[in-house]
CSV table of all heavy atoms in Angstrom, one decimal:
chain,number,residue,atom,x,y,z
A,1,PRO,N,107.4,88.3,118.4
A,1,PRO,CA,106.1,88.3,119.0
A,1,PRO,C,105.2,89.4,118.5
A,1,PRO,O,104.0,89.5,119.0
A,1,PRO,CB,106.4,88.5,120.5
A,1,PRO,CG,107.6,89.4,120.4
A,1,PRO,CD,108.4,88.9,119.2
A,2,LYS,N,105.6,90.2,117.5
A,2,LYS,CA,104.7,91.3,117.0
A,2,LYS,C,103.6,90.7,116.1
A,2,LYS,O,103.8,89.7,115.4
A,2,LYS,CB,105.5,92.3,116.2
A,2,LYS,CG,106.4,93.2,117.0
A,2,LYS,CD,107.0,94.3,116.1
A,2,LYS,CE,107.9,95.3,116.8
A,2,LYS,NZ,108.4,96.3,116.0
A,3,LYS,N,102.4,91.3,116.3
A,3,LYS,CA,101.3,90.9,115.4
A,3,LYS,C,100.8,92.2,114.8
A,3,LYS,O,100.8,93.2,115.4
A,3,LYS,CB,100.3,90.2,116.2
A,3,LYS,CG,100.7,88.8,116.7
A,3,LYS,CD,99.5,88.1,117.4
A,3,LYS,CE,99.9,86.7,117.9
A,3,LYS,NZ,98.7,86.0,118.5
A,4,TYR,N,100.3,92.1,113.6
A,4,TYR,CA,99.7,93.2,112.9
A,4,TYR,C,98.3,92.8,112.5
A,4,TYR,O,98.0,92.3,111.4
A,4,TYR,CB,100.5,93.5,111.6
A,4,TYR,CG,102.0,93.8,111.9
A,4,TYR,CD1,102.9,92.8,111.9
A,4,TYR,CD2,102.4,95.1,112.3
A,4,TYR,CE1,104.3,93.1,112.2
A,4,TYR,CE2,103.7,95.4,112.6
A,4,TYR,CZ,104.7,94.3,112.5
A,4,TYR,OH,106.0,94.6,112.8
A,5,GLU,N,97.4,93.0,113.5
A,5,GLU,CA,96.0,92.5,113.4
A,5,GLU,C,95.2,93.2,112.3
A,5,GLU,O,94.2,92.7,111.8
A,5,GLU,CB,95.3,92.7,114.7
A,5,GLU,CG,95.8,91.9,115.8
A,5,GLU,CD,97.0,92.6,116.6
A,5,GLU,OE1,97.4,93.7,116.1
A,5,GLU,OE2,97.5,92.1,117.6
A,6,ASP,N,95.7,94.3,111.8
A,6,ASP,CA,95.0,95.1,110.7
A,6,ASP,C,95.6,94.8,109.3
A,6,ASP,O,95.2,95.5,108.4
A,6,ASP,CB,95.0,96.6,111.0
A,6,ASP,CG,96.4,97.1,111.2
A,6,ASP,OD1,97.4,96.3,111.4
A,6,ASP,OD2,96.6,98.4,111.2
A,7,ILE,N,96.5,93.8,109.2
A,7,ILE,CA,97.1,93.6,107.9
A,7,ILE,C,97.1,92.1,107.6
A,7,ILE,O,97.4,91.3,108.5
A,7,ILE,CB,98.6,94.1,107.9
A,7,ILE,CG1,98.6,95.6,108.1
A,7,ILE,CG2,99.3,93.7,106.6
A,7,ILE,CD1,100.0,96.1,108.3
A,8,VAL,N,96.8,91.7,106.4
A,8,VAL,CA,96.9,90.3,105.9
A,8,VAL,C,98.0,90.2,104.9
A,8,VAL,O,98.4,91.2,104.3
A,8,VAL,CB,95.5,89.9,105.4
A,8,VAL,CG1,94.5,89.9,106.4
A,8,VAL,CG2,95.1,90.7,104.2
A,9,ASN,N,98.3,88.9,104.6
A,9,ASN,CA,99.5,88.6,103.8
A,9,ASN,C,99.1,88.3,102.3
A,9,ASN,O,98.2,87.6,102.1
A,9,ASN,CB,100.2,87.4,104.3
A,9,ASN,CG,101.0,87.7,105.6
A,9,ASN,OD1,101.5,88.8,105.8
A,9,ASN,ND2,101.2,86.7,106.5
A,10,PHE,N,99.9,88.9,101.4
A,10,PHE,CA,99.8,88.5,100.0
A,10,PHE,C,100.5,87.2,99.8
A,10,PHE,O,101.4,86.8,100.5
A,10,PHE,CB,100.4,89.6,99.1
A,10,PHE,CG,99.6,90.9,99.0
A,10,PHE,CD1,100.0,92.1,99.5
A,10,PHE,CD2,98.4,90.8,98.3
A,10,PHE,CE1,99.2,93.2,99.4
A,10,PHE,CE2,97.6,91.9,98.1
A,10,PHE,CZ,98.0,93.1,98.7
A,11,ARG,N,100.2,86.6,98.7
A,11,ARG,CA,100.8,85.3,98.3
A,11,ARG,C,101.6,85.5,97.0
A,11,ARG,O,101.1,86.0,96.0
A,11,ARG,CB,99.7,84.3,98.0
A,11,ARG,CG,100.2,82.9,97.8
A,11,ARG,CD,99.0,82.0,97.6
A,11,ARG,NE,99.4,80.6,97.6
A,11,ARG,CZ,98.6,79.6,97.4
A,11,ARG,NH1,97.3,79.8,97.3
A,11,ARG,NH2,99.0,78.3,97.5
A,12,TYR,N,102.9,85.1,97.1
A,12,TYR,CA,103.8,85.4,96.0
A,12,TYR,C,104.1,84.2,95.1
A,12,TYR,O,104.4,84.3,94.0
A,12,TYR,CB,105.1,85.9,96.6
A,12,TYR,CG,105.0,87.3,97.1
A,12,TYR,CD1,104.5,87.5,98.4
A,12,TYR,CD2,105.2,88.4,96.4
A,12,TYR,CE1,104.3,88.7,99.0
A,12,TYR,CE2,105.0,89.7,96.9
A,12,TYR,CZ,104.5,89.8,98.2
A,12,TYR,OH,104.3,91.1,98.7
A,13,TYR,N,103.9,83.0,95.7
A,13,TYR,CA,104.0,81.7,94.9
A,13,TYR,C,102.8,80.8,95.1
A,13,TYR,O,102.2,80.8,96.2
A,13,TYR,CB,105.3,81.0,95.4
A,13,TYR,CG,106.6,81.6,94.8
A,13,TYR,CD1,107.2,82.7,95.5
A,13,TYR,CD2,107.2,81.1,93.7
A,13,TYR,CE1,108.3,83.2,94.9
A,13,TYR,CE2,108.3,81.6,93.1
A,13,TYR,CZ,108.9,82.7,93.8
A,13,TYR,OH,110.1,83.3,93.3
A,14,MET,N,102.5,80.0,94.2
A,14,MET,CA,101.4,79.1,94.2
A,14,MET,C,101.9,77.7,94.9
A,14,MET,O,103.1,77.5,95.1
A,14,MET,CB,100.9,78.8,92.8
A,14,MET,CG,100.5,80.1,92.1
A,14,MET,SD,99.4,81.2,93.0
A,14,MET,CE,97.8,80.3,92.8
A,15,GLU,N,101.0,76.8,95.1
A,15,GLU,CA,101.3,75.6,95.8
A,15,GLU,C,102.3,74.8,95.0
A,15,GLU,O,103.2,74.1,95.6
A,15,GLU,CB,100.0,74.7,95.9
A,15,GLU,CG,99.0,75.2,96.9
A,15,GLU,CD,99.6,75.1,98.4
A,15,GLU,OE1,100.5,74.3,98.6
A,15,GLU,OE2,99.0,75.8,99.2
A,16,ASP,N,102.3,74.9,93.7
A,16,ASP,CA,103.3,74.1,92.9
A,16,ASP,C,104.7,74.8,92.7
A,16,ASP,O,105.5,74.3,92.0
A,16,ASP,CB,102.7,73.8,91.5
A,16,ASP,CG,102.5,75.1,90.7
A,16,ASP,OD1,102.7,76.2,91.2
A,16,ASP,OD2,102.0,74.9,89.5
A,17,GLY,N,104.8,75.9,93.4
A,17,GLY,CA,106.1,76.6,93.4
A,17,GLY,C,106.2,77.6,92.3
A,17,GLY,O,107.3,78.3,92.1
A,18,SER,N,105.2,77.7,91.4
A,18,SER,CA,105.2,78.7,90.4
A,18,SER,C,104.9,80.1,90.9
A,18,SER,O,104.2,80.2,91.9
A,18,SER,CB,104.3,78.3,89.3
A,18,SER,OG,102.9,78.3,89.8
A,19,PRO,N,105.3,81.2,90.2
A,19,PRO,CA,105.0,82.5,90.7
A,19,PRO,C,103.5,82.8,90.6
A,19,PRO,O,102.9,82.3,89.6
A,19,PRO,CB,105.9,83.4,89.8
A,19,PRO,CG,106.1,82.6,88.6
A,19,PRO,CD,106.2,81.2,89.0
A,20,ASN,N,103.0,83.6,91.5
A,20,ASN,CA,101.6,84.1,91.4
A,20,ASN,C,101.6,85.2,90.4
A,20,ASN,O,101.6,86.4,90.7
A,20,ASN,CB,101.2,84.6,92.8
A,20,ASN,CG,99.7,84.7,92.9
A,20,ASN,OD1,99.0,84.7,91.9
A,20,ASN,ND2,99.2,84.8,94.1
A,21,THR,N,101.7,84.9,89.1
A,21,THR,CA,102.0,85.8,88.0
A,21,THR,C,101.0,87.0,88.0
A,21,THR,O,101.5,88.1,87.8
A,21,THR,CB,102.0,85.1,86.7
A,21,THR,OG1,102.9,83.9,86.8
A,21,THR,CG2,102.4,86.0,85.6
A,22,ALA,N,99.8,86.8,88.1
A,22,ALA,CA,98.8,87.9,88.0
A,22,ALA,C,99.0,88.9,89.1
A,22,ALA,O,98.9,90.1,88.9
A,22,ALA,CB,97.4,87.3,88.0
A,23,TYR,N,99.4,88.4,90.3
A,23,TYR,CA,99.6,89.4,91.4
A,23,TYR,C,100.9,90.1,91.1
A,23,TYR,O,101.0,91.4,91.3
A,23,TYR,CB,99.7,88.6,92.7
A,23,TYR,CG,100.3,89.5,93.8
A,23,TYR,CD1,99.6,90.6,94.3
A,23,TYR,CD2,101.5,89.2,94.4
A,23,TYR,CE1,100.1,91.4,95.3
A,23,TYR,CE2,102.1,90.0,95.4
A,23,TYR,CZ,101.3,91.1,95.9
A,23,TYR,OH,101.9,91.9,96.8
A,24,TRP,N,102.0,89.5,90.7
A,24,TRP,CA,103.2,90.1,90.4
A,24,TRP,C,102.9,91.3,89.4
A,24,TRP,O,103.4,92.4,89.5
A,24,TRP,CB,104.2,89.2,89.8
A,24,TRP,CG,104.8,88.2,90.7
A,24,TRP,CD1,104.2,87.7,91.9
A,24,TRP,CD2,106.1,87.6,90.7
A,24,TRP,NE1,105.1,86.8,92.5
A,24,TRP,CE2,106.3,86.7,91.8
A,24,TRP,CE3,107.2,87.7,89.8
A,24,TRP,CZ2,107.4,86.0,92.0
A,24,TRP,CZ3,108.3,86.9,90.0
A,24,TRP,CH2,108.4,86.1,91.1
A,25,GLU,N,102.2,90.9,88.3
A,25,GLU,CA,101.9,91.9,87.3
A,25,GLU,C,101.1,93.1,87.8
A,25,GLU,O,101.2,94.3,87.4
A,25,GLU,CB,101.1,91.3,86.1
A,25,GLU,CG,102.0,90.3,85.4
A,25,GLU,CD,101.3,89.5,84.3
A,25,GLU,OE1,100.0,89.5,84.4
A,25,GLU,OE2,101.9,88.9,83.4
A,26,ALA,N,100.2,92.8,88.8
A,26,ALA,CA,99.4,93.9,89.4
A,26,ALA,C,100.2,94.8,90.2
A,26,ALA,O,100.0,96.1,90.2
A,26,ALA,CB,98.3,93.3,90.3
A,27,VAL,N,101.3,94.3,90.9
A,27,VAL,CA,102.2,95.2,91.6
A,27,VAL,C,103.0,96.0,90.7
A,27,VAL,O,103.2,97.2,90.9
A,27,VAL,CB,103.1,94.3,92.5
A,27,VAL,CG1,104.1,95.2,93.2
A,27,VAL,CG2,102.3,93.6,93.6
A,28,ARG,N,103.5,95.4,89.6
A,28,ARG,CA,104.2,96.2,88.6
A,28,ARG,C,103.3,97.3,88.1
A,28,ARG,O,103.8,98.5,88.0
A,28,ARG,CB,104.6,95.3,87.5
A,28,ARG,CG,105.2,96.0,86.3
A,28,ARG,CD,105.1,95.2,85.0
A,28,ARG,NE,103.7,94.9,84.6
A,28,ARG,CZ,103.4,94.0,83.7
A,28,ARG,NH1,104.3,93.3,83.1
A,28,ARG,NH2,102.1,93.8,83.4
A,29,ASP,N,102.1,97.0,87.7
A,29,ASP,CA,101.2,98.0,87.2
A,29,ASP,C,100.9,99.1,88.2
A,29,ASP,O,100.6,100.2,87.8
A,29,ASP,CB,99.9,97.3,86.7
A,29,ASP,CG,100.2,96.4,85.5
A,29,ASP,OD1,101.2,96.5,84.9
A,29,ASP,OD2,99.3,95.6,85.2
A,30,MET,N,100.9,98.7,89.4
A,30,MET,CA,100.7,99.8,90.5
A,30,MET,C,101.8,100.8,90.5
A,30,MET,O,101.6,102.0,90.5
A,30,MET,CB,100.5,99.1,91.8
A,30,MET,CG,100.4,100.0,93.0
A,30,MET,SD,102.0,100.4,93.8
A,30,MET,CE,102.4,98.8,94.4
C-alpha cells in the first residue's frame, strides 16, 4: 500500500520487449 507521490517510474523495456537502449546507456554513463 505504499505510495511515493514524489517519484515517477523509468521504463526499462519498450512495447515490443526490446531494451530501452538509450536509457540503459544513460545510466551507464551516469
Side-chain angles (χ1 to χ4, degrees):
K2 285 186 176 183
K3 292 184 178 181
Y4 302 93
E5 296 86 355
D6 54 346
I7 296 171
V8 298
N9 287 330
F10 284 112
R11 185 179 192 178
Y12 292 83
Y13 283 84
M14 308 305 287
E15 288 292 340
D16 63 359
S18 62
N20 196 346
T21 304
Y23 169 66
W24 289 28
E25 292 174 344
V27 173
R28 173 203 60 193
D29 293 345
M30 176 267 296

